[in-house]
Amino acid sequence: AQRVTQPEKLLSVFKGAPVELKCNYSYSGSPELFWYVQYSRQRLQLLLRHISRESIKGFTADLNKGETSFHLKKPFAQEEDSAMYYCALIGSSNTGKLIFGQGTTLQVKP
Amino acid sequence: GAVVSQHPSRVICKSGTSVKIECRSLDFQATTMFWYRQFPKQSLMLMATSNEGSKATYEQGVEKDKFLINHASLTLSTLTVTSAHPEDSSFYICSARNLGTAYNEQFFGPGTRLTVL
């Protein structure tokens, strides 16, 4: 079964501290993995995708197939990073169906 | 960039009535759109895949006669909640897949807040 697990509902850190939002997945093939972000009162938007290996707003995520993880990291959190973060996978590129994790609220305190 | 709109942004209706929610891709054509439901502080649950010119594909447990989906054009999909009840109150979000982007990226609408009294 396809599943995405984000074990933390809330992660609270101080400004300037490192951040790691955990994501584990369950999928038998080779999934495409994504991180989406939803700022307060805004729509969901793509943050980054594993296939492009990019860094957006200082965030990076590395796909670890051995551990079936795709953790999101940032070395120095900023207050404007406070938002809801969703890890998601697409199991079959033909359908494009996104399977979302439960989401983690990141709270960056001043 | 690619923009997806939803209308209305919020709707309040009486129990037993039907409500239609529109999802439009404003500057690109979308053969595939998706409808999600989001409960407060919870994840997005995929309800169905809307395919232009053909029947929608529903996820397990989603009643197709309850949630009617029509994808009549390449820029518009509608979700009709029929005979709505209080338990249908939720935040409904659509997304549209832009095949013109490098990774067939999905773009999300702002969501529609449905409250059934």
Side-chain angles (χ1 to χ4, degrees):
Chain A
Q2 301 172 23
R3 187 164 53 235
V4 177
T5 303
Q6 293 177 248
E8 303 141 325
K9 286 195 82 169
L10 172 66
L11 183 63
S12 186
V13 302
F14 285 101
K15 177 183 171 182
V19 169
E20 182 178 54
L21 298 167
K22 291 184 167 37
C23 172
N24 289 89
Y25 66 90
S26 173
Y27 184 68
S28 56
S30 293
E32 293 179 51
L33 282 147
F34 306 81
W35 276 99
Y36 283 84
V37 61
Q38 189 171 29
Y39 298 102
S40 180
R41 300 186 184 280
Q42 293 188 30
R43 68 186 70 196
L44 202 65
Q45 55 186 285
L46 178 66
L47 182 61
L48 54 79
R49 58 177 75 84
H50 91 270
I51 204 166
S52 56
R53 302 183 67 82
E54 57 205 343
S55 172
I56 303 293
K57 299 184 179 183
F59 285 98
T60 59
D62 290 317
L63 177 61
N64 186 321
K65 291 185 177 180
E67 296 182 359
T68 60
S69 68
F70 188 56
H71 303 326
L72 183 69
K73 300 178 184 178
K74 184 169 182 176
F76 307 103
Q78 302 299 315
E79 288 181 68
E80 54 265 30
D81 295 329
S82 296
M84 187 73 156
Y85 290 81
Y86 293 98
C87 183
L89 73 79
I90 289 180
S92 166
S93 296
N94 288 335
T95 67
K97 288 183 355 180
L98 278 164
I99 308 299
F100 284 90
Q102 302 91 322
T104 299
T105 299
L106 174 63
Q107 186 182 75
V108 182
K109 296 179 283 190
Chain B
V3 179
V4 175
S5 70
Q6 282 184 241
H7 178 79
S9 58
R10 57 178 64 231
V11 57
I12 300 173
C13 69
K14 291 183 179 180
S15 186
T17 60
S18 294
V19 174
K20 182 188 283 188
I21 303 170
E22 293 184 349
C23 177
R24 292 183 186 272
S25 55
L26 297 186
D27 49 3
F28 66 98
Q29 294 182 331
T31 55
T32 305
M33 293 183 174
F34 300 90
W35 286 97
Y36 298 85
R37 188 171 174 175
Q38 186 179 34
F39 293 98
K41 297 189 184 297
Q42 293 190 34
S43 188
L44 284 77
M45 183 193 79
L46 179 65
M47 298 174 67
T49 303
S50 174
N51 304 298
E52 188 269 335
S54 65
K55 290 183 180 179
T57 307
Y58 290 82
E59 295 301 301
Q60 194 172 16
V62 178
E63 298 175 61
K64 61 181 179 182
D65 295 330
K66 171 79 171 172
F67 299 99
L68 298 178
I69 291 173
N70 187 289
H71 195 149
S73 78
L74 287 171
T75 58
L76 173 64
S77 173
T78 60
L79 169 69
T80 301
V81 184
T82 63
S83 187
H85 287 95
E87 56 266 29
D88 299 324
S89 298
S90 193
F91 197 54
Y92 292 88
I93 301 173
C94 74
S95 72
R97 202 175 175 203
N98 186 348
L99 299 182
T101 56
Y103 300 103
N104 299 334
E105 189 171 335
Q106 282 188 44
F107 294 89
F108 286 80
T112 296
R113 171 78 58 197
L114 170 63
T115 303
V116 185
L117 302 176

